[in-house]
Amino acid sequence: MKAVEIIKLLNQWALPCLIDKWDNTGFQIGDPEKEIRKVLISLDLDREVLEKAIEENAQMIVTHHPIIFKPMKSITKLSYKEKLVYDIIKEDIVVYNAHTNLDLAENGVNDTLAKVLEIRNMEPLKIIYEEPCTYDIQPAANKGKVFGYGRIGEIEKTSLLNYLDILKEKLKVENLIIYGDMDRIVDKVAVCGGSGSSFIYDAYLKGAHIYITGDVKYHEAQYANELGLTIIDAGHYH
């Protein structure tokens, strides 16, 4: 299968029109006509991932976080990022990433996270688009759909302490950072993969008891606590 065919399939799932205005993601490096027999999938693209792709003879790397986020003024061997891009091109490896569009996509990052955490009757935490543009699919496929960051829904009523044990098991994380009241019963949970502190107020408005995300700063956590919302920072990676 050619790279362009794989990219087309990925774009039909994580629609390019869902890419946030500040984001830079999609088909970033390589020959669209290259024949692909093996694909390596990763959260990020660093030196270790590139070496793994070479070792496995993968012709394509698909990541969540884009390797080229800010404009590059040159591609030399004088810096880590430039040398990495240089070597990817030298090895003739195709690179594609789906970042914010995969966060918003149906069955993307946040749907998957919510399902792993057994959240039911979920809806987007922050609606961004309603019936967005399409990508080589029938317009009716998106009729009535909404797309947004994060998810909010219901769980079986339980103590927060008990749910923390479930979180650690499901996310395979040893430690969690908790901000706010830990002595509470919860049955409405908000989640957002990655860095979701900008949606704290949305979680509060929608009545979440707890909000699970990553990369929460001190003053953001303090704000959530003042709202009566307990924050669980599970880290960006997990």
Side-chain angles (χ1 to χ4, degrees):
M1 182 178 281
K2 290 183 178 181
V4 67
E5 297 174 280
I6 298 173
I7 291 166
K8 182 177 179 179
L9 289 171
L10 289 166
N11 284 342
Q12 287 175 342
W13 173 28
L15 299 170
C17 60
L18 296 178
I19 298 171
D20 212 321
K21 59 182 179 297
W22 53 262
D23 195 12
N24 183 54
T25 194
F27 177 32
Q28 292 202 326
I29 299 174
D31 179 2
E33 296 299 317
K34 184 174 178 64
E35 194 68 29
I36 307 297
R37 298 181 304 280
K38 184 179 285 190
V39 178
L40 186 146
I41 298 173
S42 178
L43 178 65
D44 299 287
L45 206 175
D46 56 15
R47 177 63 57 179
E48 183 180 4
V49 170
L50 174 58
E51 290 176 355
K52 181 67 174 177
I54 295 170
E55 176 187 336
E56 296 289 340
N57 192 30
Q59 296 81 36
M60 183 174 185
I61 300 173
V62 175
T63 68
H64 181 44
H65 294 141
I67 183 171
I68 302 174
F69 185 67
K70 296 180 180 179
M72 300 179 69
K73 296 183 178 181
S74 61
I75 302 176
T76 69
K77 291 189 174 185
L78 298 178
S79 72
Y80 174 86
K81 176 62 70 67
E82 289 183 12
K83 186 176 188 305
L84 182 59
V85 171
Y86 180 98
D87 289 341
I88 291 168
I89 296 170
K90 182 180 177 182
E91 295 292 337
D92 194 21
I93 292 176
V94 175
V95 173
Y96 169 96
N97 24 78
H99 190 211
T100 48
N101 49 334
L102 192 61
D103 287 327
L104 273 64
E106 186 175 9
N107 294 320
V109 170
N110 286 293
D111 275 342
T112 301
L113 177 60
K115 288 173 185 176
V116 165
L117 299 181
E118 301 176 358
I119 297 173
R120 309 182 309 272
N121 302 322
M122 59 184 171
E123 61 180 82
L125 181 59
K126 177 73 171 182
I127 293 175
I128 305 296
Y129 300 100
E130 297 189 37
E131 298 183 25
C133 63
T134 57
Y135 182 89
D136 288 348
I137 57 177
Q138 295 298 319
N142 284 324
K143 188 172 180 59
K145 290 184 180 179
V146 296
F147 297 82
Y149 284 113
R151 297 293 182 267
I152 185 167
E154 303 164 353
I155 61 169
E156 291 293 332
K157 185 176 288 188
T158 185
S159 70
L160 176 55
L161 291 176
N162 181 60
Y163 193 60
L164 293 178
D165 288 335
I166 295 172
L167 280 177
K168 290 167 75 173
E169 178 187 350
K170 295 290 186 180
L171 298 181
K172 297 179 175 58
V173 56
E174 293 184 6
N175 300 295
L176 299 166
I177 301 173
I178 317 298
Y179 303 96
D181 183 10
M182 294 181 62
D183 186 23
R184 66 187 307 174
I185 302 299
V186 298
D187 62 12
K188 194 165 188 181
V189 177
V191 299
C192 186
S195 301
S197 56
S198 57
F199 307 122
I200 285 173
Y201 191 61
D202 298 283
Y204 161 73
L205 286 179
K206 293 201 171 184
H209 299 140
I210 59 174
Y211 179 33
I212 306 160
T213 189
D215 301 340
V216 178
K217 296 179 181 179
Y218 172 82
H219 292 291
E220 296 164 340
Q222 187 179 44
Y223 174 57
N225 188 49
E226 290 170 356
L227 293 173
L229 177 65
T230 299
I231 298 288
I232 301 172
D233 189 334
H236 198 121
Y237 174 84
H238 293 283

